[in-house]
Amino acid sequence: MKLIAGLGNPGEQYAFTRHNMGWLCADFISVNNNLGRPQEKFHAEFWKWNNVILLKPLTFMNASGLAVSEAVNFYKIELQDILIVYDDMNLPFGKLRLRAQGTAGGHNGLTSILGALGDIHVPRLRIGIGKAPDSMINYVLGHFGKDEREQLPGILERAERAVNSWLNDDIQKAMTFTNA
């Protein structure tokens, strides 16, 4: 069993904000795979297909560890079989970076997950949202600009291909494919 967790914040006011890039990716994957309506459990919405759990925590970003750890414990998922998908201000808009492990790099959602799991050896797919021009909070919780909205479908397609590579290949090959 593998788990893909797309991070974001619940609520209409956060829909299509930069901080919800992980949720957008999860929704994109669910639509492209005709997964239908999600179930609710683990403080999250989730879809189960094949041997994969696609999870959208319904906790706010900073408490994402609760939902992820509940699903991981319920399904007894190994750390290397978890993929966290989230926004990253340290990458240019639309740039993808897949890593096998590491620190949270200041991302509170990932900090929550790594703390709940008690380990940094968790794969993650970072989707670049670019640097904040002024207030970090206003930027990450802000809605995409027109140019960004136009680029979103292509970014989400590339993110889905990266997720599929992670699902089907070993982590090194998936990293080479995604990070090239």
Side-chain angles (χ1 to χ4, degrees):
M1 180 75 57
K2 291 195 174 195
L3 173 77
I4 302 161
L7 303 189
N9 283 314
E12 276 301 310
Q13 69 270 34
Y14 300 111
F16 291 100
T17 61
R18 293 176 187 90
H19 216 28
N20 273 31
M21 194 64 95
W23 269 30
L24 291 171
C25 184
D27 287 337
F28 191 84
I29 292 168
S30 73
V31 168
N32 281 351
N33 289 279
N34 299 311
L35 301 181
R37 295 180 52 82
Q39 301 175 53
E40 277 195 39
K41 190 174 183 174
F42 316 119
H43 295 89
E45 292 182 343
F46 77 99
W47 298 264
K48 185 176 179 185
W49 92 103
N50 299 326
N51 206 25
V52 177
I53 302 295
L54 179 60
L55 187 84
K56 285 175 44 179
L58 293 174
T59 58
F60 281 87
M61 179 70 77
N62 296 356
S64 298
L66 174 64
V68 171
S69 64
E70 285 181 357
V72 164
N73 291 333
F74 182 84
Y75 288 107
K76 308 212 180 333
I77 299 171
E78 299 293 326
L79 293 177
Q80 71 271 9
D81 292 328
I82 302 166
L83 180 66
I84 310 301
V85 182
Y86 62 98
D87 63 289
D88 192 322
M89 283 185 17
N90 294 317
L91 292 174
F93 186 79
K95 177 93 171 152
L96 302 179
R97 181 72 63 216
L98 179 65
R99 293 187 63 200
Q101 63 183 20
T103 66
H107 193 281
N108 291 335
L110 190 58
T111 297
S112 173
I113 291 167
L114 298 179
L117 297 176
D119 204 308
I120 64 168
H121 297 90
V122 179
R124 72 281 314 264
L125 175 63
R126 299 162 37 213
I127 304 175
I129 61 169
K131 293 259 186 243
D134 45 40
S135 164
M136 180 188 75
I137 291 176
N138 289 340
Y139 183 72
V140 298
L141 296 179
H143 293 276
F144 295 106
K146 182 181 184 293
D147 290 342
E148 293 171 324
R149 282 193 311 270
E150 290 172 357
Q151 295 177 56
L152 267 180
I155 294 166
L156 295 173
E157 284 175 18
R158 288 187 298 108
E160 181 180 31
R161 286 195 302 269
V163 168
N164 284 332
S165 180
W166 176 80
L167 285 170
N168 297 308
D169 301 323
D170 67 65
I171 188 68
Q172 291 304 319
K173 185 173 181 181
M175 286 170 45
T176 299
F177 171 79
T178 302
N179 300 341

